[in-house]
Amino acid sequence: MVAIHLQDSVQDQGEYLFGLLFSILGLPCRFVAHRRQQQGQRVLINYGKPLSARESEEYLTPEGWLIDIPSYPYLRGVRQRAGKEIPEVSSTVSYKEENIPFYYPYQRFSPSEGRVLLYYEDGSGAVVEKGRTIQFGFDIVASAGYLLNCTEEKLVERRDKIGRFKAQFSPRWEMGLLSQATIDRYVNILREIITCCCRRQGIPLVYKWYWPCGKNFAVYLSHDVDRVYKREFYTIAAKTFWMMKKLFSGRLRAAVSDALRLAKAVLSRQNDYWNFEKWMDLEDRYGAKSTFFFLKGRKVGRYGRRYNLRKLAQVIKTLSQNGWEVGLHGSYYSYNRMDRLRKEREELEAILGRKVRGHRQHYLRFDPEISYSCCQGAGLEYDTTLGYSDRAGYRAGTGFPFRPFDGQRGRPLDLFEIPLVVMDGALDRSGLGWKDGEAANYVIKMVEQTAASHSLISLLWHQSSLDRDDFPGWGQTYEHILKYVKSHNGWASSGEEILKWWRAREQCQYEFNFSQQLNTIVIALKTPYPKELCFKILFPDGQQRLLRCQEGEQRVRNTTVVVSRCE
Ligand SMILES: [Zn+2]
């Protein structure tokens, strides 16, 4: 159906990036060595040097269509960036009332060159249809790679005191682009362009739906277990420090309120930082599950652990036995030390009695250049650290799970990254205010955007944050999100479950064929498939249907859809 021709090695990651975009798309594609279109390839994507009008005439089959995406070195008037220049957005494309940024130089089209399908923000043409060719004016593939590889972190040297790349250091921050999952928008643009080619040919498009049982979107829920005792030494010491600071800076009221809370914490018999059962009850009420990340540092201290993992053995087992995931919260010093991380995983596994798959680094210390391979080498299956400590946002431009590219070996790692998007503490620090519900509205807006693009959003609420005295409103915000997910047909689950699904969906291969009159569409499954899988059918007249994947014949509008297994 869709064939991709990578013209040369301009982009060493071309195959990786197309593979990733099509994996999110849920659409089969094949890489071909020749740009001459073969029968059955209804859509041919050419990536590299754009084809001339004569070439596209020559290479296309009588019914086929071409999508021509220029790799940026071939764009008109291009000078390649050199040195350590701070990267910037080249321009933006208007798409569904949003401005979608892209990187690298670009080409503008005038309306006389063809029918404009997408516009730049200045009103000139960004994607045009000329005959049976759809021509891009910008490099959507390299732009995806730019975001996915965290390229800006290689170009911007600033880090905070503990070595983190913060949201405010990102050139995308000032442009208000961090809260946009840009790669997920690229995927939607690609699908729309492919759908356009199909419609012009009067044929349908069939792709794998994102989430099980036709769920509209997904939310990954997680809790870092940093502290479990409210009266623990370092917590009390930190609170005393902040109270004194307020006192000496003349903020008397705030200091008194801190002092009262501190006194309550010290004198009370109740430990409001122990919330495991409350989280389970709360999530259970909304049919949700989550992941708890436990810390196994060597030393007790400010950056070290605040509890003895062995003393938590019972609750760790209870969580796991009831279907919650137990993951590793890599200690402060382990983000670039594979052996230490491996040891921490093994120690947690010894207590848990089963494999630990997921990981998030304490303090979100993470260097994409080192930490991915560290996690893989330490025997972990996925990481979910890639987010910001000071703001909500998409650090790699996507909310979907992906395999990071290993530059040294020239292929993707086996490890998955599920990017972290919202951390409770980051919202608090960004000064959005929890009291009047602004932060809650902000997160809900991001969840709404996720629902609209059928994507995934990953949330982190610390285990202790259900304590109303120290974290007023945080628990309510979380519950508000759970309510929204349930009432909007979303799926809230643990990282392990989400990744299990994503892999099963990715591994399911299929082909689809149809009769020209559209009496029949045949979906032939080439591999085993999860029974919760659905297919989306886009008909050439614009109608669409979601279809549960079960072998046999089903009637959809005036068409018989046959789902069969081909061995
Ligand atoms: Zn932590």
Side-chain angles (χ1 to χ4, degrees):
M1 176 73 196
V2 180
I4 300 173
H5 176 247
L6 302 177
Q7 221 175 40
D8 48 33
S9 56
V10 242
Q11 260 282 327
D12 58 348
Q13 291 187 21
E15 209 163 306
Y16 163 68
L17 291 169
F18 268 111
L20 190 119
L21 294 170
F22 272 77
S23 150
I24 300 175
L25 268 172
L27 196 63
C29 69
R30 223 155 29 99
F31 292 98
V32 291
H34 301 287
R35 46 187 175 163
R36 188 174 294 282
Q37 196 174 30
Q38 305 295 309
Q39 283 302 324
Q41 294 171 3
R42 292 302 196 116
V43 180
L44 175 68
I45 297 178
N46 178 59
Y47 180 57
K49 188 181 174 194
L51 299 184
S52 66
R54 190 185 55 80
E55 283 172 319
S56 42
E57 274 300 308
E58 209 175 298
Y59 293 139
L60 289 183
T61 59
E63 73 273 10
W65 275 63
L66 173 74
I67 299 175
D68 215 354
I69 304 174
S71 64
Y72 66 90
Y74 286 108
L75 281 161
R76 233 185 265 159
V78 168
R79 257 184 317 120
Q80 237 175 303
R81 287 166 189 276
K84 281 210 159 190
E85 201 179 329
I86 303 291
E88 278 166 9
V89 170
S90 288
S91 185
T92 60
V93 167
S94 315
Y95 179 69
K96 300 207 166 154
E97 295 169 17
E98 258 190 305
N99 286 333
I100 317 295
F102 57 86
Y103 305 85
Y104 308 104
Y106 60 103
Q107 180 183 2
R108 286 194 178 86
F109 298 106
S110 71
S112 63
E113 288 181 78
R115 180 172 165 178
V116 179
L117 301 179
L118 276 180
Y119 291 89
Y120 292 120
E121 56 184 350
D122 66 2
S124 57
V127 177
V128 289
E129 183 182 333
K130 309 173 184 173
R132 284 187 289 133
T133 296
I134 293 182
Q135 174 85 55
F136 274 71
F138 58 96
D139 188 343
I140 195 169
V141 184
S143 295
Y146 171 87
L147 291 165
L148 207 65
N149 295 324
C150 299
T151 309
E152 59 187 18
E153 297 181 30
K154 293 172 197 162
L155 300 165
V156 178
E157 280 171 1
R158 263 184 94 187
R159 297 292 184 270
D160 75 352
K161 271 190 285 186
I162 59 169
R164 295 178 298 190
F165 185 81
K166 294 189 125 185
Q168 50 178 303
F169 305 154
S170 165
R172 286 183 291 151
W173 161 245
E174 281 183 15
M175 306 180 79
L177 289 171
L178 288 184
S179 58
Q180 181 193 76
T182 304
I183 293 180
D184 307 355
R185 308 294 189 275
Y186 292 164
V187 167
N188 291 343
I189 289 177
L190 268 179
R191 177 166 33 243
E192 197 154 313
I193 298 300
I194 294 171
T195 309
C196 174
C197 294
C198 292
R199 263 188 214 160
R200 300 280 192 271
Q201 296 176 61
I203 61 175
L205 187 71
V206 178
Y207 63 92
K208 288 180 276 186
W209 186 245
Y210 298 93
W211 304 113
C213 308
K215 290 283 183 194
N216 210 19
F217 64 105
V219 180
Y220 170 15
L221 304 172
S222 66
H223 312 286
D224 287 0
V225 186
D226 285 358
R227 294 174 290 182
V228 295
Y229 308 116
K230 202 170 175 178
R231 274 193 290 180
E232 164 265 325
F233 174 76
Y234 286 93
T235 304
I236 298 288
K239 283 180 177 170
T240 312
F241 171 78
W242 289 112
M243 182 194 73
M244 298 304 270
K245 210 174 167 186
K246 283 174 190 167
L247 190 68
F248 289 118
S249 63
R251 291 157 62 201
L252 214 59
R253 240 185 188 187
V256 170
S257 140
D258 274 12
L260 288 173
R261 272 191 289 138
L262 191 60
K264 191 179 165 194
V266 174
L267 298 172
S268 167
R269 281 164 178 261
Q270 211 172 308
N271 174 21
D272 290 328
Y273 275 16
W274 185 278
N275 293 311
F276 296 102
E277 292 79 11
K278 285 186 196 160
W279 284 115
M280 286 166 78
D281 284 347
L282 174 61
E283 287 165 4
D284 216 22
R285 279 210 295 282
Y286 294 94
K289 289 276 189 311
S290 64
T291 304
F292 285 82
F293 290 103
F294 286 87
L295 190 60
K296 175 73 187 83
R298 275 199 306 204
K299 283 189 200 142
V300 180
R302 188 175 161 212
Y303 291 132
R305 64 181 166 86
R306 306 281 182 84
Y307 52 82
N308 183 341
L309 203 56
R310 299 209 167 270
K311 290 189 178 163
L312 267 55
Q314 193 50 52
V315 79
I316 288 175
K317 283 180 188 152
T318 308
L319 284 166
S320 175
Q321 281 158 5
N322 286 288
W324 273 261
E325 184 192 3
V326 171
L328 175 67
H329 199 29
S331 71
Y332 184 82
Y333 300 99
S334 68
Y335 80 102
N336 55 1
R337 296 190 195 174
M338 187 198 297
D339 292 344
R340 190 176 265 202
L341 202 57
R342 178 195 298 271
K343 216 167 157 236
E344 290 175 11
R345 173 185 62 79
E346 286 168 355
E347 285 172 0
L348 180 58
E349 278 178 3
I351 293 170
L352 178 65
R354 56 163 288 196
K355 184 153 175 49
V356 169
R357 299 175 199 282
H359 165 259
R360 182 182 293 123
Q361 201 70 38
H362 193 33
Y363 279 85
L364 303 188
R365 295 228 296 170
F366 199 80
D367 178 356
E369 293 282 284
I370 311 166
S371 306
Y372 286 137
S373 32
C374 245
C375 287
Q376 174 164 310
L380 292 150
E381 284 181 19
Y382 79 90
D383 171 82
T384 178
T385 313
L386 199 70
Y388 296 111
S389 57
D390 55 336
R391 300 279 193 280
Y394 294 88
R395 190 160 155 189
T398 182
F400 287 110
F402 67 93
R403 286 190 187 87
F405 193 75
D406 180 350
Q408 281 181 339
R409 295 195 185 153
R411 59 180 168 86
L413 292 165
D414 294 328
L415 179 94
F416 271 91
E417 175 63 36
I418 310 180
L420 170 66
V421 183
V422 185
M423 174 172 85
D424 51 5
L427 284 169
D428 194 33
R429 263 175 231 134
S430 57
L432 291 160
W434 287 89
K435 280 180 197 146
D436 50 11
E438 274 179 20
N441 291 340
Y442 186 79
V443 187
I444 287 291
K445 219 176 120 195
M446 288 186 84
V447 176
E448 278 171 6
Q449 280 178 4
T450 307
S453 56
H454 313 296
S455 174
L456 168 68
I457 189 166
S458 168
L459 310 178
L460 154 56
W461 253 243
H462 284 80
Q463 192 279 143
S464 52
S465 68
L466 283 182
D467 173 21
R468 286 167 184 241
D469 284 339
D470 287 356
F471 311 101
W474 296 29
Q476 284 98 309
T477 304
Y478 190 83
E479 184 163 6
H480 202 62
I481 296 166
L482 290 181
K483 239 181 237 172
Y484 181 90
V485 175
K486 195 174 181 195
S487 58
H488 289 77
N489 193 30
W491 179 41
S493 197
S494 65
E496 185 178 26
E497 286 300 311
I498 287 171
L499 194 60
K500 198 169 126 196
W501 164 258
W502 197 252
R503 278 183 167 151
R505 173 187 180 266
E506 194 178 69
Q507 280 158 9
C508 169
Q509 291 182 20
Y510 72 100
E511 272 173 5
F512 69 94
N513 285 300
F514 44 85
S515 65
Q516 202 61 48
Q517 293 75 31
L518 275 193
N519 302 326
T520 327
I521 295 175
V522 179
I523 300 174
L525 298 156
K526 292 154 71 181
T527 51
Y529 61 94
K531 63 181 192 312
E532 300 85 1
L533 185 71
C534 295
F535 284 103
K536 184 94 178 223
I537 305 176
L538 305 181
F539 288 94
D541 62 4
Q543 295 230 30
Q544 40 182 280
R545 289 286 191 280
L546 198 62
L547 181 89
R548 186 74 182 252
C549 175
Q550 45 194 196
E551 286 167 66
E553 286 187 15
Q554 296 175 66
R555 194 87 184 143
V556 181
R557 300 177 70 211
N558 298 323
T559 305
T560 306
V561 181
V562 185
V563 179
S564 68
R565 191 103 71 105
C566 65
E567 299 302 338

